[in-house]
Amino acid sequence: MTYTDNLLVRQLNHGNRIVFEQLYEEYYPQLVAFAEGYLFDIEESKEIVQKLFVHLWLGRKDLKIDTSLKGYLFSAVRNKCLNHIRNIKIKDRNKLLYIEATLAGARTEENSNSLQHLEKKLREEIQKLPEQIRKIIILKYYKGKKQKEIATVLGVTENTVKTQLSRGKLKLSSALQQS
């Protein structure tokens, strides 16, 4: 940790609002862009970085940093993004099971109107998704492509496909639960 970083941390420890605001102004745009690289969602990225700075300010008295201040901030954002992605996958898995159970239960003759309504709603919600997520959902569930094939077709990484797929399923399941 440099002398400057050490001084800044001490100033934060003592509640120097000007130092905090300068750190916020300097690092907020960089951290949001960094988070967006993980999440592919600008609003969620802004929220994560905002929460980091709130946490930083509220915990300023106990703040101890062994690395550079910049390294600490970027590591914290990376960890928060990874936790967010992990939580999406956990919630997504549960919601996907709910959707699949609903679809399976709706396949009886007496509920055929309900199934038709649900399928129509699903198609409508897919059309509302951002373009890349929509393409991934269609390739995966309507064309039966594997994640690796989707990545090749769209020219993105498999990790991007996984993340976008998780996001898409989460948005769809949320929309279907509201209807």
Side-chain angles (χ1 to χ4, degrees), residues 1-2 5-6 9 63-69 71-72:
M1 188 151 108
T2 67
D5 285 345
N6 202 356
V9 171
L63 183 64
K64 297 201 182 348
I65 299 176
D66 298 327
T67 62
S68 72
L69 186 56
Y72 171 82

Side-chain angles (χ1 to χ4, degrees), residues 143-170:
K143 306 283 185 187
K145 302 284 185 192
K146 296 184 187 232
Q147 290 180 5
K148 190 172 187 173
E149 294 172 309
I150 296 169
T152 302
V153 167
L154 297 178
V156 297
T157 66
E158 274 188 75
N159 195 37
T160 299
V161 171
K162 288 178 188 176
T163 302
Q164 296 287 338
L165 193 56
S166 292
R167 273 208 201 104
K169 290 188 296 188
L170 181 63

Side-chain angles (χ1 to χ4, degrees), residues 10-156:
R10 278 189 282 147
Q11 289 298 312
L12 283 173
N13 291 144
H14 294 299
N16 187 328
R17 186 176 288 273
I18 294 170
V19 167
F20 176 77
E21 288 171 359
Q22 287 174 338
L23 286 173
Y24 182 87
E25 287 177 25
E26 180 178 347
Y27 288 110
Y28 179 82
Q30 295 173 47
L31 292 170
V32 168
F34 182 69
E36 191 176 11
Y38 281 92
L39 303 177
F40 305 101
D41 183 338
I42 188 70
E43 294 305 318
E44 196 62 45
S45 299
K46 287 178 181 179
E47 186 174 331
I48 282 178
V49 174
Q50 185 71 31
K51 285 180 181 179
L52 170 65
F53 276 103
V54 168
H55 177 74
L56 186 67
W57 180 252
L58 294 177
R60 67 189 177 275
K61 291 179 182 175
D62 300 320
L63 183 64
K64 297 201 182 348
I65 299 176
D66 298 327
T67 62
S68 72
L69 186 56
K70 182 178 181 178
Y72 171 82
L73 293 172
F74 278 87
S75 291
V77 168
R78 184 193 70 233
N79 291 338
K80 289 182 181 299
C81 287
L82 294 174
N83 287 340
H84 179 75
I85 290 168
R86 186 190 71 234
N87 290 338
I88 285 175
K89 287 180 182 177
I90 291 169
K91 291 176 189 174
D92 182 53
R93 213 173 298 126
N94 292 334
K95 289 183 178 184
L96 184 60
L97 290 172
Y98 171 78
I99 290 171
E100 289 171 352
T102 302
L103 286 172
R107 294 192 191 274
T108 62
E109 286 207 26
E110 60 215 30
N111 292 330
S112 65
N113 287 338
S114 174
L115 177 60
Q116 289 172 349
H117 171 73
L118 188 58
E119 288 173 348
K120 180 182 177 195
K121 179 71 175 161
L122 181 60
R123 284 192 302 274
E124 289 171 0
E125 292 302 324
I126 288 172
Q127 292 307 310
K128 293 178 186 177
L129 292 172
E131 183 179 356
Q132 187 169 8
I133 294 176
R134 184 175 59 245
K135 286 179 182 177
I136 290 170
I137 293 286
I138 290 169
L139 288 170
K140 175 74 174 165
Y141 293 106
Y142 288 93
K143 306 283 185 187
K145 302 284 185 192
K146 296 184 187 232
Q147 290 180 5
K148 190 172 187 173
E149 294 172 309
I150 296 169
T152 302
V153 167
L154 297 178
V156 297

